[in-house]
Amino acid sequence: MSKDFERELIAKAESRKALIGIVGLGYVGLPLAAEMAEAGFRVLGYDVTQRVVDTINRGVSHVLDVPTERLARFVKQGLITATSDETRLNEPDLVAIAVPTPLSKTRDPDISYIVSATESLARHLRPGQAVVLESTTYPGTTRDLMLPALEKSGLKVGTDFFLAFSPERVDPGNPKYQTRNTPKIIGGITPACTRVVTALYAPAIETMVPVSSPEAAELTKLLENTFRAVNIGLVNEMAIVCDKLGVDVWEVIEAANTKPFGFMKFTPGPGVGGHCIPLDPHYLAWKMRALNYRTRFIEVAGEVNSEMPEYWVQKVVLALNEQGKAVRGSRVLVVGIAYKKDIDDIRESPAIDVVRLLQRMGGDVSYHDPYIPEMHEDGMVLRSVPLEAATVRAADCVMIVTDHSAIDYLMIGREAKALVDTRHAVADRTKGR
Ligand code: SAJ
């Protein structure tokens, strides 16, 4: 009779004696490590980047949502340690994998990080371990890719080891919802997998939501992010419609938002950035193409959202034209370069596309972003310029791309010769306030 690992792991979860392993110590893994430590578990973080491992072991956080003093406390108490030694992956009772899932240059899923993490784990898998994939991926990854790799060890899922998918739902910079108070979806390969993984997360996360399979959990996440991508695409198209009709799209959105039911507010902007919304829906589109089905909403939303930088750069051309100027040789100040407000991340930021387009037209582009001191673009290094009346006045056109709470719009409006505000698709914005 094989050992009852299910009972053993559930007991270790309740007693907090379970060692929690986290593979990938980024914007998902580090907040999860902190919540597990907060719940009283010891955490062994694993990352292939030695700099990340060393920084964490010094008690210094590289993730905005985990304050350094909080991490330092856990490191000092011995509750969180980090390693780059993969042989230690046989130590944890639970191993959560939170590695990037980008798109390749041809916009196809790049699951190489998941494959590499799974292979590392498979080399050291021992009886009694639970494994969870948190990275957003196409439906079937857990069952079709991870399970065979892990069962090569000869261990049987559901009795010797446990495997589930539990999507990360981190909204970087969200002041209200963090890892602990965001409900957690758990979809195990077997019911025992779901029970074990739910028990191990429960002390650290307020609400657990078990579902019947990893595929249901994988698709839950994709529905969440596709919902956002499609609705952002819709409101961006509405911004273009309102602009052509000379109507303030924000007035329309605010008015629609008074409807107490059946409406959810989204806001127009320069396009979609970040490591999720521009990418995740294409994981589903890719999977469905292999089944001869075109997910048209995903594709159309992707088209509309990815055309927004060009749409707004055309506004700069018009604004400069009003002054009898060409883009070439004109000084354009781009305000806000991160992919959304009040964060320090420029991944997939549409503001980068805006800068690139303006530079290619010969514009003399500078930027201001209180969270991004410098950025590297096409081999160039651009540094954030101070947002002062002098820098605004020196620009031929100011373009507000990402709104930050730290930015003084009144000053910009007063000093700008021409103002393009990607949050407002109203023609008169090109003439400043
Ligand atoms: N955006 C708009 N209009 C909107 C909302 C967003 O243009 O109405 C833009 C943002 O500026 C940003 C992009 O879309 O460039 C993505 O915005 P986001 O708020 O979805 O930001 P993410 O990708 O950091 O976080 C999202 C999570 N956000 C929310 O649920 C509010 C959520 O979808 C996931 O938990 C997370 O991605 C993830 O990891 O999948």
Side-chain angles (χ1 to χ4, degrees):
M1 160 70 178
S2 69
K3 205 172 163 193
D4 188 346
F5 290 116
E6 175 182 349
R7 184 190 305 274
E8 181 186 283
L9 280 172
I10 290 173
K12 287 177 112 175
E14 285 160 0
S15 66
R16 307 295 189 275
K17 287 198 171 52
L19 174 64
I20 306 296
I22 297 177
V23 174
L25 300 171
Y27 81 93
V28 173
L30 200 57
L32 179 61
E35 293 306 345
M36 288 291 191
E38 192 77 54
F41 288 112
R42 277 186 315 112
V43 178
L44 176 63
Y46 170 80
D47 202 294
V48 293
T49 307
Q50 192 60 45
R51 176 181 49 77
V52 168
V53 167
D54 296 342
T55 308
I56 288 171
N57 284 333
R58 286 202 309 275
V60 175
S61 171
H62 62 291
V63 171
L64 198 66
D65 290 340
V66 180
T68 278
E69 55 281 353
R70 188 174 185 225
L71 177 64
R73 177 160 47 89
F74 293 136
V75 170
K76 190 158 177 286
Q77 291 168 331
L79 284 175
I80 292 182
T81 53
T83 182
S84 58
D85 172 5
E86 80 161 41
T87 62
R88 296 197 59 188
L89 288 176
N90 72 351
E91 295 174 26
D93 298 295
L94 169 72
V95 181
I97 299 174
V99 294
T101 47
L103 288 180
S104 69
K105 288 268 174 287
T106 50
R107 311 291 292 162
D108 293 329
D110 172 4
I111 55 165
S112 59
Y113 295 95
I114 295 180
V115 170
S116 149
T118 303
E119 286 170 352
S120 296
L121 190 54
R123 285 192 282 271
H124 307 285
L125 189 70
R126 64 164 168 78
Q129 279 189 304
V131 179
V132 191
L133 177 61
E134 290 223 354
S135 308
T136 307
T137 182
Y138 60 80
T141 303
T142 308
R143 186 185 307 277
D144 304 338
L145 183 143
M146 292 188 71
L147 181 56
L150 295 174
E151 285 199 318
K152 267 196 205 134
S153 59
L155 297 179
K156 187 86 193 78
V157 72
T159 47
D160 302 330
F161 76 99
F162 304 92
L163 177 59
F165 184 81
S166 178
E168 58 89 1
R169 282 173 149 180
V170 172
D171 182 23
N174 190 317
K176 186 175 176 198
Y177 294 108
Q178 283 93 39
T179 300
R180 174 164 195 82
N181 65 347
T182 301
K184 199 88 172 86
I185 309 287
I186 310 269
I189 295 279
T190 71
C193 297
T194 304
R195 286 193 298 270
V196 163
V197 171
T198 300
L200 285 160
Y201 272 102
I205 294 180
E206 285 168 11
T207 311
M208 308 307 290
V209 182
V211 293
S212 62
S213 68
E215 289 79 5
E218 288 160 341
L219 273 166
T220 298
K221 175 65 182 181
L222 290 170
L223 172 59
E224 288 165 14
N225 281 11
T226 302
F227 167 78
R228 292 185 66 68
V230 168
N231 280 286
I232 294 165
L234 169 64
V235 82
N236 277 329
E237 182 165 78
M238 192 51 77
I240 296 171
V241 164
C242 285
D243 186 35
K244 290 182 181 305
L245 296 174
V247 175
D248 183 341
V249 67
W250 276 68
E251 180 185 12
V252 171
I253 291 168
E254 292 308 332
N257 202 34
T258 59
K259 185 178 177 191
F261 52 85
F263 183 77
M264 182 173 176
K265 177 178 170 183
F266 285 84
T267 52
V272 286
H275 15 80
C276 318
I277 306 308
L279 311 179
D280 297 347
H282 296 285
Y283 270 69
L284 182 56
W286 174 84
K287 173 75 178 181
M288 297 316 292
R289 280 199 296 276
L291 301 173
N292 291 323
Y293 181 76
R294 269 188 66 228
T295 49
R296 284 154 290 174
F297 278 101
I298 293 174
E299 291 178 13
V300 168
E303 284 164 24
V304 173
N305 289 329
S306 56
E307 284 161 10
M308 293 313 286
E310 193 135 10
Y311 177 79
W312 287 110
V313 164
Q314 279 312 313
K315 288 289 185 185
V316 171
V317 172
L318 285 173
L320 290 170
N321 187 54
E322 290 284 306
Q323 302 172 46
K325 291 178 182 168
V327 173
R328 182 168 298 283
S330 290
R331 285 155 304 189
V332 182
L333 172 61
V334 171
V335 178
I337 205 101
Y339 80 80
K340 69 176 185 180
K341 72 184 294 187
D342 296 343
I343 57 157
D344 61 353
D345 195 336
I346 62 170
R347 269 174 293 187
E348 306 283 332
S349 174
I352 308 288
D353 297 327
V354 164
V355 169
R356 200 177 285 140
L357 287 166
L358 289 168
Q359 284 180 331
R360 284 196 195 136
M361 294 171 83
D364 173 6
V365 187
S366 58
Y367 83 91
H368 167 78
D369 190 314
Y371 287 83
I372 314 284
E374 69 175 43
M375 56 172 271
H376 298 256
E377 177 50 30
D378 285 344
M380 288 173 58
V381 177
L382 285 177
R383 284 185 182 75
S384 175
V385 297
L387 190 66
E388 297 157 349
T391 43
V392 175
R393 223 177 287 131
D396 298 300
C397 178
V398 176
M399 187 179 189
I400 296 176
V401 182
T402 312
D403 57 348
H404 286 285
S405 42
I407 286 171
D408 176 358
Y409 294 107
L410 196 63
M411 182 267 286
I412 295 174
R414 202 174 36 242
E415 300 292 344
K417 299 186 194 74
L419 176 66
V420 173
D421 183 342
T422 66
R423 304 163 307 138
H424 293 269
V426 177
D428 66 12
R429 288 281 171 188
T430 58
K431 300 187 187 67
R433 294 209 186 141

